[in-house]
Amino acid sequence: MPDSPVVHRRRRRPGSIAVAAGALIALIAGFLSWPGAERAEAAPTAFAHPGVTVSQGQLDFVRGKVNSGAQPWKGAFDQMMASRYADLNRTPAPRATVECGSYSNPNYGCTDEREDAIAAYTDALAWYITRDDRYAKKSIQLMDAWSAVIKSHTNSNAPLQTGWAGSSWPKAAEIIKYTYTGTWANSGRFSTMLRDVYLPKVINGSNSNGNWELSMMEAAVGISVFLEDRSSYDKAMAKFRTRTAAYVYLASDGALPRTVPSQNLDTTAKIVNYWQGQSTFVTGLTQETCRDFTHTGYGISAIAHVAETSRIQGSDLYGTDVGERLRQALGFQSRYQLGEAVPGSLCNGSLHLGLGPVTEVGYNALHNRLGIAMTNTQRLTEQSRPAGSNNLFVAWETLTHGDNPA
């Protein structure tokens, strides 16, 4: 079974004509059953910083745990510091044009860009925890190298590549800009890079497999926080809400999964084809479960990251359908990743496993903060610690979010 259920109260039927009209609009939008879910969460009046996936309070909690030698944080920190991403001798490899084809073939700067962005974030975390300013300066060096050079992303994987790298850059920049006690002379140029090179490539979304748009919206939301761009934040969040509802199936959705209007999935046959040939829909199934768990993990991770950023910015999506879909997706995928037999009705009885280090953020928010029992997700999370990096856009989440109450 998926992780144990949580009861959500449905809205009462409104009495007035005006409220009834509003409810009808929400029903048409397909979100009536979830309180607050019929609209995207608006950008905050004042953005919280650092505020992309990791907050000041979370960083302080982690720093205290690592410095006291407490586990699992100390082990996770040691893992991070032993990685190539924390190497102070790392040489940045920026390009004016990053060209990425399908599955990064060709790969002209794709790996370099993603990994330099992860390294910048890694160094920012290392700076915060150790207060060794060599790491802050290294993070700045990496960000400056790319902001001085990059102009565009090209070829078929350009939107996804931009989303991946664009998810890591603002996490690094937020920590450095708002906690480093030294100077970052080129922070304005870095902002211009995010605004002119990254944001336009991701903000309009994608009609490819769902993990694309979810990662792109993660990047767009994070960049919007760093730029304090309320309009882009709202646009990205609206697309995120629609895509999340279309990515993870709940029985309350009806006989068929929800869809993204721009994809014109207007027949059962089209929907089944888009869901990798799966015609039996069960709670927690994702649009890419029958493709493979690795890509499914990308989508789940991006959902958790955006929900976490939104929480830091004052709108807690975990209490909406986003949280319920995330909880069910984590539980459903975890049970099979843990070895449960696959029924013939699911992906013809065969799954391609490999979920990746993607459970910590959602598990911490839903189980530790909200108190929801998540037996399968808990087991998988704890046995997979410390969670490392997927070398794309996920990194060090046992360190940053493992049992973190902040």
Side-chain angles (χ1 to χ4, degrees):
M1 296 177 63
D3 283 334
S4 53
V6 60
V7 176
H8 291 266
R9 295 180 182 269
R10 291 179 179 267
R11 291 185 175 220
R12 296 176 181 236
R13 291 187 179 275
S16 71
I17 294 175
V19 175
L24 179 60
I25 292 171
L27 179 61
I28 293 171
F31 295 118
L32 182 61
S33 299
W34 296 98
E38 66 273 11
R39 63 178 180 83
E41 305 306 310
T45 302
F47 285 96
H49 302 289
V52 178
T53 310
V54 185
S55 69
Q56 181 86 52
Q58 289 170 316
L59 290 168
D60 288 339
F61 173 83
V62 169
R63 184 168 186 255
K65 290 296 186 180
V66 170
N67 289 338
S68 69
Q71 299 296 353
W73 305 277
K74 181 58 165 63
F77 173 75
D78 291 343
Q79 174 198 42
M80 180 183 81
M81 297 304 288
S83 75
R84 65 182 182 274
Y85 297 114
D87 184 359
L88 289 170
N89 294 313
R90 184 181 187 88
T91 301
R95 285 173 177 257
T97 300
V98 174
E99 181 179 354
C100 306
S102 181
Y103 292 92
S104 294
N105 181 22
N107 182 341
Y108 299 130
C110 315
T111 301
D112 291 335
E113 180 189 31
R114 294 193 306 264
E115 296 196 354
D116 277 351
I118 293 173
Y121 174 53
T122 300
D123 290 325
L125 288 172
W127 139 254
Y128 196 90
I129 293 168
T130 68
R131 292 300 196 269
D132 182 339
D133 70 356
R134 293 179 301 164
Y135 289 101
K137 290 175 179 176
K138 191 66 182 181
S139 182
I140 290 169
Q141 180 198 19
L142 290 160
M143 291 188 284
D144 283 355
W146 280 89
S147 70
V149 172
I150 189 166
K151 300 297 181 186
S152 66
H153 297 85
T154 64
N155 214 320
S156 59
N157 258 37
L160 182 59
Q161 170 73 19
T162 309
W164 282 341
S167 294
S168 296
W169 286 129
K171 289 192 290 187
E174 281 280 300
I175 295 172
I176 295 300
K177 183 174 181 179
Y178 292 99
T179 73
Y180 179 46
T181 51
T183 59
W184 180 14
N186 293 312
S187 64
R189 188 179 72 195
F190 184 82
S191 294
T192 299
M193 176 192 79
L194 293 182
R195 182 179 294 108
D196 295 348
V197 179
Y198 287 82
L199 190 57
K201 203 72 172 182
V202 297
I203 191 63
N204 292 317
S206 166
N207 286 325
S208 185
N209 282 300
N211 82 87
W212 278 51
E213 186 162 86
L214 289 167
S215 288
M216 291 163 70
M217 291 310 103
E218 177 185 345
V221 166
I223 289 169
S224 297
V225 170
F226 184 71
L227 297 178
E228 298 195 326
D229 184 337
R230 300 181 80 251
S231 176
S232 292
Y233 184 96
D234 288 347
K235 182 176 181 178
M237 193 63 72
K239 284 189 173 294
F240 167 77
R241 295 296 299 272
T242 300
R243 175 61 69 175
T244 299
Y247 193 70
V248 183
Y249 176 80
L250 298 178
S252 57
D253 293 336
L256 295 170
R258 296 177 187 265
T259 61
V260 175
S262 61
Q263 293 190 267
N264 297 312
L265 299 175
D266 51 8
T267 69
T268 299
K270 288 181 181 179
I271 292 172
V272 168
N273 182 65
Y274 186 59
W275 282 64
Q276 322 297 326
Q278 179 71 8
S279 58
T280 301
F281 301 101
V282 293
T283 292
L285 182 78
T286 80
Q287 182 256 315
E288 295 184 275
T289 297
C290 292
R291 180 186 184 187
D292 59 62
F293 272 28
T294 301
H295 287 88
T296 297
Y298 301 164
I300 290 173
S301 182
I303 292 170
H305 291 165
V306 174
E308 193 72 354
T309 296
S310 180
R311 183 189 69 87
I312 295 167
Q313 298 305 326
S315 294
D316 196 336
L317 293 178
Y318 292 113
T320 71
D321 75 308
V322 171
E324 180 66 359
R325 291 178 197 278
L326 176 60
R327 182 179 75 86
Q328 295 292 355
L330 284 168
F332 186 84
Q333 266 62 222
S334 291
R335 60 195 274 208
Y336 295 111
Q337 186 67 41
L338 288 165
E340 183 172 319
V342 183
S345 60
L346 176 62
C347 311
N348 294 318
S350 178
L351 293 171
H352 301 283
L353 304 178
L355 193 60
V358 303
T359 64
E360 288 278 16
V361 176
Y363 170 72
N364 183 60
L366 295 164
H367 176 73
N368 293 328
R369 288 200 202 105
L370 298 183
I372 300 169
M374 298 177 69
T375 305
N376 294 317
T377 307
Q378 179 174 4
R379 182 180 163 202
L380 180 62
T381 300
E382 291 178 349
Q383 77 174 30
S384 301
R385 286 177 172 170
S389 175
N390 70 355
N391 304 313
L392 299 173
F393 69 103
V394 178
W396 324 126
E397 293 182 351
T398 297
L399 176 65
T400 57
H401 290 81
D403 301 336
N404 192 327

